[in-house]
Amino acid sequence: MTVDDWYEQRQRQGIVSTPQRVPAGASDEELKKQQQETEEEDDEEALQKARDWDDWKDTHPRGYGNRHNMG
């Protein structure tokens, strides 16, 4: 049994998803960029959370918060 046969068998059983093929000669930066793009496209909730956090940071400068009991 080859590795491809094993993956096909596991995929039919629903145990393992299909592995992504890596093009020969691809650098680490390209792989990271490609992975980051797919993660960002798939997760709209994380994107909305990041936007909300950026908006909050715009209205709350560093050091903002509990300034009482500072001595």
Side-chain angles (χ1 to χ4, degrees):
M1 177 182 288
T2 65
V3 174
D4 290 331
D5 293 337
W6 182 82
Y7 273 113
E8 289 175 10
Q9 180 184 12
R10 295 294 180 170
Q11 185 178 13
R12 278 187 255 121
Q13 294 173 351
I15 298 173
V16 176
S17 63
T18 306
Q20 293 181 350
R21 300 288 180 177
V22 178
S27 68
D28 289 337
E29 291 179 15
E30 292 173 357
L31 295 175
K32 288 179 184 178
K33 184 177 178 182
Q34 181 182 12
Q35 183 180 12
Q36 184 179 14
E37 288 175 357
T38 57
E39 289 175 358
E40 289 176 355
E41 292 172 357
D42 294 338
D43 200 1
E44 292 182 19
E45 183 178 329
L47 180 62
Q48 184 62 39
K49 186 176 179 180
R51 286 181 180 162
D52 291 341
W53 179 247
D54 286 341
D55 291 341
W56 187 88
K57 287 183 2 181
D58 288 342
T59 58
H60 298 81
R62 186 169 187 218
Y64 175 85
N66 187 3
R67 303 293 294 176
H68 301 285
N69 297 328
M70 296 294 286

